[in-house]
Structure formats: structure tokens, C-alpha cells
Amino acid sequence: MTEPTSQPSAQPVATIHLSQLLKSPVIAGSGESIGRVDDLIVRLPGGDAYPPVTGVVVGVGGREVFVSAERIAEFGADRIVLSVNKVDLRSFERRDGEVLLKADILGHRLIDVAAAELVRAYDVELDETPEGWVLARLDTRRPARFFGLLKSSGGHASRDWKAFEPLIGHSQSMTIRGVSARVRGLKPAQIADLLEDADKHERGEILDQVHGDPELEADVFEELDSDKSSRLLDAMSDSEVAALLGRMRADDAADSIMELRQSRRRRVLDLMPAGQRVKVITLMGFNPDSAGGLMNVDVVSCTPDSTVAQALSIIRSAHALQPEALLKVHVLDAGRLAGVVSVIALLQAEPDSAVTDIMDADPVRIAPDADLTDIALLMADFNLYMLPVVDDEDRVLGVVTVDDVLEDIIPDDWRRREPAPRPAREPAPTVKNPTQNSDGAAQL
């Protein structure tokens, strides 16, 4: 009986690690060694393509020269063989848009978009494709050490290049990279965490990424700790600070104003939009750790004669308010607090019902001079997500929301602890275009 013939397995894609290739000899077509590999050059393409290798920086007699990828006959882990016998010995000069793998990526940090954190690239993997060699993956695992010496771990924890947003460190490539929609798609708190972990240069690039979206920039600054926010604001002009604070929540803007040098505060306030300026000045009159200092002065309210449908319409049109400030509608009678009604109660009631029929006519409230402990205890005892702040005549001054309380009550040493790992989603694998064999059948 004839043994069945097995189908040939697919040929694996050739892969080379940059760490193997650096310092490898560069051989001329004649067989003569002309230098060693100092670096590889790639270009960052538009769209979803992998960066192609466009050339090699070769160390020749104490200088660095450029060899185009078109002149490479053999690209191996232990050597590069050229298709020519001579190379141009003019010193290498980087052109706009070029990225050097060793100088710009190896040892530098990039944004892991899925995990929203900065990671360091310890090695680079290159794949051979029909169009040439491309930058395919990064190894972000720190090499093991044995008695202070680097020790090979016998494998690579590599991940797809497309999972990262590069912070290249080269201003001429910034225009090519542009503003990444992936970075701007992160949550403001995640971008704030990146800024707090970044060094001066990385921080500048991240800020450049979000500066084109003014609303996102304001949200990010609301999430920054006061020390970091203060240092960033110090580097901005008065007009830039005023524009930024004008888009922030009034309570966060007031905190930021107080972090400015006293000589700048009045100048920045004068440049802010009039409505926001009034809110900020009002909040600055309270102790920042009191209910008055923590409250948001923007509240959603209706009159006692309103219907459920009208109250919901007020919520629907309150686009400028933070979502956490819309959890309850305050029922005001001649400016005084007559009651509160939750959004859930409104949604469950008949549209033509009177708000007064379903409101809490004796809501928990707090004075503006109440301290953080009082606020936290009231919220915990009554299971509240927001708490109205009222003056002596029961007029609503603002609301304190649970996120503001948590932000102030979390101990500083909790903020310094290593965060729990976030679930990370890898990008969908790229399907290669099929090629045809000699019989015309498509192969992957």
C-alpha cells in the first residue's frame, strides 16, 4: 500500500532581531568586509502598513555612511552582503521622516495603546516580506540579569508593532507620524497617567497628541495631580492657560488657578470667559478641602410645577454639565431647595406626572464649610453619589460628587503603588495578501 504523501508545510517568514544584527559585518559584493552595522533605517508609512527598512547605517573607518536597502543582496542575522563592490563614503545625514531603530526605538519608551502605559523597547524584530524587510514586532520584556550581566532568556516576548504608539524622540519625524487617533481615543485618566509617568520629552509629545482636541486636553488636565498640572501650566502662556481653564470644570479650574504663581492669577482670570471667571472666583472663596471648595457650581434644576417630561428635557439639554452632575434634578422654589429627584425615578415615572409627587422633599444637604470627613460619612451613610451644598437660606450653591470626594480622600501612598494590570486587547492580526503558486492556486 502506497504511503500517503504529506503536503509541504508553509515556509515560515524569516525573522531577524536587531540585537543580533548590530555590529555584524557588512560585506561588499566582491567578498571584502567594508564595515559593520551601526543602525537600520525605516520610514513610518501612512495607514496600517508596517515600516519598511529603507537602508543601513554602516560604520566605516570611524564614520557612518548610508547604504540603501536596494543595494543589499543578502540580509542575515550575522552579516549583510551588498550587491555592489563600493559604497558612497559621504557621512550619513538623516532625512526627514527617517527613523533609526537603534537610536530612536531601542531602549526608548513607547505607548502600549492596549494597556495605556509606557513600555521600553528592548529589542526589535524584523520580518522578510515579498516587498522587503519591515519592522514587525517589539520585545518589551526586560532582559534577565545574572550577577549583573545580561543573560539570554532563550526566547522573546515580542508583540505586534501596531500595538504601540511610538515616542520616537526625533522632531523631524513628528509630522510624518501626525496626531494619533489611538492616543486621543484613550480615556482622559489614562492619558493623565501617561503624562505623570513620562519624562520631559515624552510628556511634550503626549501633550502634542492631545493639544489638537481642546475638550480632551481640558479633561486630561482635570485628571492630573496638582504638582504635575502646576508644572505643565507654568510652561504655558497666560492666554493658553486661560483658554484651557475656561474649558475645565469650574472646581478643577479653581484648584489650578490656586496652583499658579500669585503674580499670574489675576492675569489669567482676566483672560478667562466671564461666566467661568465668576464661577472660579466664587469657588476660590472657600477652603479647597471643604464642601464649598470641592463642589461643582453647575447644577441641573427645575421648578416645583414641572412635569417628569419637562425635567427629563432639562437633563437632555444640559450638554455642558458633567454626567455625574446629572444624576439628580434639584427642585427649586424661589431659589431654595424644595427637594431632589433621581434620574432613575424620572425614567420610571409617567411623563405627565408632577415632579413633586416623586421627589425627596427632605434631601440630605450640607453646608459649604463642612469638611471632607463630614461629606464622606454622609455619602456613605445615605448611599449618595452627589450631595447638594446649600447656604443658610437653603439656596443651592453647588453639588459635591463622589468622584471629587474619592480623589481627595485616597491616601498619597495609594497613588504611588504599582497599579493592577489592565486587561489588554491585542490588535486584530493582519491577513497577508495571498500569492499564487505555479498552478494558479492561491497560497497564504
Side-chain angles (χ1 to χ4, degrees):
M1 183 175 179
T2 304
E3 292 290 334
T5 57
S6 59
Q7 294 294 325
S9 59
Q11 191 71 19
V13 175
T15 298
I16 292 176
H17 294 91
L18 180 64
S19 58
Q20 298 172 315
L21 188 60
L22 292 175
K23 300 304 179 185
S24 295
V26 178
I27 312 297
S30 61
E32 177 186 3
S33 177
I34 62 172
R36 293 187 176 275
V37 177
D38 279 355
D39 215 328
L40 291 184
I41 305 167
V42 301
R43 280 191 170 272
L44 297 179
D48 199 35
Y50 291 98
V53 175
T54 57
V56 184
V57 180
V58 182
V60 180
R63 70 170 60 185
E64 291 185 333
V65 303
F66 169 75
V67 176
S68 170
E70 297 174 351
R71 299 193 172 191
I72 297 176
E74 179 185 335
F75 200 105
D78 57 349
R79 65 177 184 170
I80 286 179
V81 179
L82 306 181
S83 59
V84 295
N85 295 331
K86 297 181 180 181
V87 297
D88 189 337
L89 294 179
R90 287 179 296 180
S91 294
F92 165 71
E93 293 185 4
R94 190 202 307 238
R95 294 176 295 182
D96 288 351
E98 290 182 337
V99 174
L100 304 184
L101 296 189
K102 176 186 174 185
D104 298 336
I105 294 181
L106 201 62
H108 291 261
R109 297 203 297 179
L110 305 92
I111 298 176
D112 183 334
V113 177
E117 62 183 3
L118 288 166
V119 295
R120 197 171 302 278
Y122 291 103
D123 208 346
V124 176
E125 289 189 9
L126 307 163
D127 278 356
E128 185 179 19
T129 71
E131 293 77 26
W133 288 85
V134 298
L135 165 55
R137 287 170 297 280
L138 295 181
D139 185 350
T140 60
R141 181 182 58 179
R142 184 186 297 274
R145 289 181 176 269
F146 185 70
F147 291 107
L149 300 176
L150 288 177
K151 179 183 177 183
S152 174
S153 59
H156 292 265
S158 58
R159 293 183 49 209
D160 195 306
W161 163 258
K162 296 175 184 177
F164 303 94
E165 181 67 24
L167 296 175
I168 296 301
H170 183 244
S171 59
Q172 291 178 335
S173 67
M174 198 177 299
T175 302
I176 303 298
R177 286 178 281 142
V179 178
S180 170
R182 297 194 304 167
V183 172
R184 293 196 297 184
L186 296 174
K187 291 180 172 57
Q190 293 175 316
I191 299 176
D193 287 343
L194 291 175
L195 286 170
E196 291 171 1
D197 185 38
D199 61 28
K200 181 179 179 181
H201 172 75
E202 295 166 343
R203 193 160 53 243
E205 288 215 20
I206 296 171
L207 286 173
D208 286 338
Q209 296 271 10
V210 300
H211 188 65
D213 187 335
E215 295 302 323
L216 174 61
E217 184 181 32
D219 291 341
V220 169
F221 269 80
E222 290 174 358
E223 301 292 342
L224 287 170
D225 67 49
S226 58
D227 290 341
K228 184 68 66 177
S229 173
S230 177
R231 287 196 292 270
L232 293 177
L233 293 175
D234 282 344
M236 300 167 64
S237 68
D238 290 346
S239 59
E240 289 174 327
V241 174
L244 174 62
L245 300 187
R247 294 187 294 268
M248 291 170 58
R249 284 179 21 166
D251 54 333
D252 291 312
D255 292 340
S256 296
I257 285 284
M258 295 303 294
E259 294 293 334
L260 295 176
R261 298 188 305 275
Q262 191 166 0
S263 59
R264 296 189 72 191
R265 292 175 189 171
R266 175 50 59 184
R267 299 200 306 267
V268 171
L269 281 169
D270 288 343
L271 293 170
M272 290 176 62
Q276 181 78 335
R277 180 170 63 247
V278 171
K279 296 175 186 177
V280 168
I281 291 175
T282 299
L283 291 167
M284 290 172 63
F286 296 102
N287 183 321
D289 294 323
S290 68
L294 291 172
M295 69 183 179
N296 185 347
V297 294
D298 293 318
V299 298
V300 60
S301 64
C302 67
T303 58
D305 58 354
S306 300
T307 65
V308 166
Q310 289 170 332
L312 287 172
S313 177
I314 292 171
I315 295 175
R316 192 178 301 114
S317 61
H319 301 295
L321 270 65
Q322 297 290 326
E324 57 267 25
L326 300 175
L327 296 174
K328 291 185 178 181
V329 176
H330 299 76
V331 182
L332 304 183
D333 187 2
R336 292 177 172 82
L337 183 63
V340 297
V341 58
S342 72
V343 173
I344 299 300
L346 290 171
L347 291 172
Q348 292 176 335
E350 293 297 326
D352 56 353
S353 298
V355 166
T356 51
D357 292 341
I358 60 173
M359 74 178 186
D360 178 358
D362 186 23
V364 179
R365 65 202 80 188
I366 200 164
D369 58 353
D371 62 21
L372 188 61
T373 302
D374 289 336
I375 302 169
L377 288 175
L378 278 175
M379 284 188 158
D381 289 345
F382 291 93
N383 298 320
L384 300 173
Y385 292 98
M386 62 185 300
L387 188 60
V389 182
V390 299
D391 64 10
D392 294 338
E393 297 182 6
D394 226 17
R395 289 190 295 257
V396 176
L397 303 176
V399 293
V400 177
T401 53
V402 68
D403 60 312
D404 291 322
V405 175
L406 286 174
E407 185 176 342
D408 273 46
I409 211 168
I410 291 175
D412 288 339
D413 56 340
W414 285 18
R415 298 181 186 277
R416 291 192 294 269
R417 66 183 290 184
E418 188 71 21
R422 305 182 185 93
R425 292 183 300 171
E426 293 288 348
T430 302
V431 179
K432 298 180 179 179
N433 292 328
T435 59
Q436 289 191 332
N437 60 20
S438 57
D439 297 328
Q443 295 180 326
L444 291 179

